[in-house]
Amino acid sequence: MRHLKLLLVGVSFIMSSAVFANTAHKLTNTNSITSEIENLIQESCLQVDAHYTVTVFFSVSDDQKIQSLSVASSNEEINQFLQKKLENKELPGEFWRTGKIYEISVVLS
């Protein structure tokens, strides 16, 4: 019986460690980037239709800044505006991986 309890304690320890280890690698603060993009568009005074979608593709440099930026939407004026505003913008958090391509979609209502 003692060995069974020890085995159960060991298994529960391993399972809890695996769960906590998995959550530590999630991206942080993507919501702040999404809200920042929304604010930039709203403050730009550019005309935006209801339920307008903008998708931003970017990679991260060694110094945690946006590089290789591409903006996709149906309005070329907004695309150029966001490219200028987001280029070389420093990203919050330390979990952004250099060289990985990120895609963030923003739906404005």
Side-chain angles (χ1 to χ4, degrees), residues 33 37 53-60 65-73 79 82-83 86-88 91 96 99-106:
I33 292 173
I37 292 171
T53 302
V54 175
T55 305
V56 179
F57 302 92
F58 63 92
S59 62
V60 180
K65 291 185 180 180
I66 293 177
Q67 69 178 12
S68 302
L69 177 67
S70 175
V71 181
S73 75
N79 294 351
L82 286 176
Q83 274 192 296
L86 295 174
E87 192 171 342
N88 291 322
L91 294 168
W96 299 97
K100 181 175 180 182
I101 297 174
Y102 292 95
E103 174 184 348
I104 296 179
S105 292
V106 179

Side-chain angles (χ1 to χ4, degrees), residues 19-62:
V19 169
F20 287 118
N22 191 19
T23 57
H25 296 291
K26 288 185 177 180
L27 296 178
T28 59
N29 295 327
T30 54
N31 289 335
S32 68
I33 292 173
T34 303
S35 61
E36 187 171 338
I37 292 171
E38 286 180 36
N39 290 338
L40 283 172
I41 293 172
Q42 290 170 354
E43 292 171 0
S44 71
C45 299
L46 297 171
Q47 284 293 75
V48 179
D49 298 331
H51 303 293
Y52 187 78
T53 302
V54 175
T55 305
V56 179
F57 302 92
F58 63 92
S59 62
V60 180
S61 66
D62 291 333

Side-chain angles (χ1 to χ4, degrees), residues 2-3 10 12 22 38 40-41 46 64 76 96-97 108:
R2 182 175 176 204
H3 293 287
S12 64
N22 191 19
E38 286 180 36
L40 283 172
I41 293 172
L46 297 171
Q64 298 293 300
E76 189 59 37
W96 299 97
R97 291 189 2 212
L108 303 167

